[in-house]
């Protein structure tokens, strides 16, 4: 599989680092996921299945162009529930069912400015050598109490050409949402993920069912990465 190139975001509206990220994925029947997508998007499949990911990570260095990072506001945990889609122009990307973040100002700004389903949650990320633990308890808006606790041990690096499915699930450079009833998209620029094999030592979560998805079945597929720097564009039709 050829790894898709990252787009060049010449006028970013936001800079981030997505650090200590874990990709936890389950297979779903495509006919379960498709009705949950807006008009104009089709679920993407791999090995005959749609894929839903739970991705906890640590957001750091968050800032707008020309503005220095504010220590308290520029770093916080986040956990996303997402799936993989294609628009009518054949462009691949991500559709988010939910995004939990630990900073209320960031949640309010993202809900208002980016029309993304962000939620304010009590969250924590701890890194102890190769062991990474995540904690998430949703606060607002409801339903309160949804959770995602995980503990992951990073293993050896994954040779990028070695695992085509890993690239399908992680090499994503486009987001979709709906603004004022119209499907819009934004590009994300970052280098290829330095992926690692990962062992999921513990998982207790109900964010997927909280997003209206059926309970997942089977063992998840797990990858992890120390992180990458990110440049995000503004929405456009």
């Amino acid at each position: 599989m050829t790894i898709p190139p990252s787009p060049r975001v010449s006028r970013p509206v936001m800079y981030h680092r997505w650090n200590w990220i874990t990709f936890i994925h389950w297979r779903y029947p495509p006919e379960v996921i498709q009705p949950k997508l807006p008009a104009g998007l089709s679920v993407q499949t791999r090995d005959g299945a749609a894929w839903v990911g739970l991705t906890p990570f640590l957001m750091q260095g968050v800032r707008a162009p020309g503005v220095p990072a504010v220590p308290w506001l520029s770093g916080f945990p986040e956990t996303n529930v997402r799936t993989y889609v294609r628009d009518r122009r054949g462009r691949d990307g991500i559709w988010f069912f939910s995004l939990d973040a630990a900073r209320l100002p960031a949640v309010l700004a993202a809900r208002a400015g980016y029309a993304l389903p962000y939620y304010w949650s009590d969250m924590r990320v701890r890194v102890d050598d190769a062991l990474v633990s995540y904690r998430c308890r949703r606060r607002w808006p409801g339903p309160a109490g949804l959770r995602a606790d995980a503990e992951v041990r990073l293993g050896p690096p994954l040779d990028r050409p070695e695992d085509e499915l890993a690239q399908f699930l992680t090499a994503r450079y486009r987001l979709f949402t709906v603004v004022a009833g119209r499907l819009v998209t934004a590009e994300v620029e970052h280098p290829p993920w330095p992926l690692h094999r990962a062992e999921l030592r513990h998982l207790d979560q109900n964010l997927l069912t909280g997003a209206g998805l059926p309970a997942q079945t089977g063992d998840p597929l797990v990858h992890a990465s120390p992180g990458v720097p990110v440049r995000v564009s503004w929405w456009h039709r």
Side-chain angles (χ1 to χ4, degrees):
M1 175 181 176
T2 301
I3 300 173
S6 171
R8 172 64 179 168
V9 176
S10 58
R11 294 184 178 181
V13 295
M14 195 67 65
Y15 296 90
H16 305 157
R17 279 198 64 91
W18 294 343
N19 290 337
W20 299 112
I21 187 169
T22 296
F23 302 92
I24 308 170
H25 284 99
W26 292 268
R27 295 171 178 264
Y28 273 81
E31 61 271 19
V32 169
I33 303 301
Q34 184 60 50
K36 300 183 180 299
L37 302 178
L41 291 182
S42 299
V43 64
Q44 267 192 298
T45 61
R46 185 78 179 185
D47 296 342
W51 292 82
V52 172
L54 179 74
T55 55
F57 63 101
L58 185 60
M59 183 94 81
Q60 292 183 302
V62 180
R63 66 177 182 87
V67 178
V70 178
W72 178 82
L73 191 58
S74 65
F76 50 87
E78 185 168 321
T79 297
N80 301 335
V81 178
R82 67 193 211 174
T83 193
Y84 307 105
V85 296
R86 179 170 290 164
D87 70 5
R88 289 171 177 164
R89 293 174 55 185
R91 298 177 297 181
D92 301 344
I94 297 172
W95 176 260
F96 290 105
F97 293 112
S98 67
L99 307 94
D100 286 72
R103 294 289 182 266
L104 181 57
V107 167
L108 295 175
R111 289 180 74 93
Y114 258 73
L116 287 170
Y118 264 90
Y119 296 84
W120 180 36
S121 296
D122 178 22
M123 307 184 74
R124 183 183 68 230
V125 176
R126 288 185 176 175
V127 181
D128 182 10
D129 194 16
L131 191 66
V132 187
S133 60
Y134 307 92
R135 181 184 188 276
C136 173
R137 293 290 187 280
R138 185 171 294 174
R139 290 176 166 177
W140 176 90
L146 293 181
R147 67 191 182 279
D149 295 344
E151 185 177 83
V152 178
R153 181 174 294 279
L154 272 68
L158 186 71
D159 185 16
R160 284 198 296 272
E162 171 188 352
D163 193 330
E164 294 187 0
L165 180 55
Q167 300 309 318
F168 173 83
L169 297 172
T170 63
R172 298 281 165 167
Y173 304 103
R174 183 179 300 276
L175 319 177
F176 293 100
T177 194
V178 174
V179 176
R182 288 182 174 269
L183 187 67
V184 296
T185 183
E187 289 78 36
V188 177
E189 177 187 350
H190 65 74
W193 290 105
L195 290 175
H196 288 246
R197 301 182 185 279
E199 175 193 359
L200 186 61
R201 297 167 59 95
H202 170 74
L203 179 64
D204 177 21
Q205 69 84 26
N206 59 3
L207 291 185
L208 273 68
T209 55
L213 297 165
Q216 64 279 2
T217 60
D219 293 332
L221 184 66
V222 186
H223 302 93
S225 176
V228 292
V230 179
R231 296 157 59 99
V232 184
S233 78
W234 188 243
W235 296 119
H236 54 87
R237 294 181 183 175

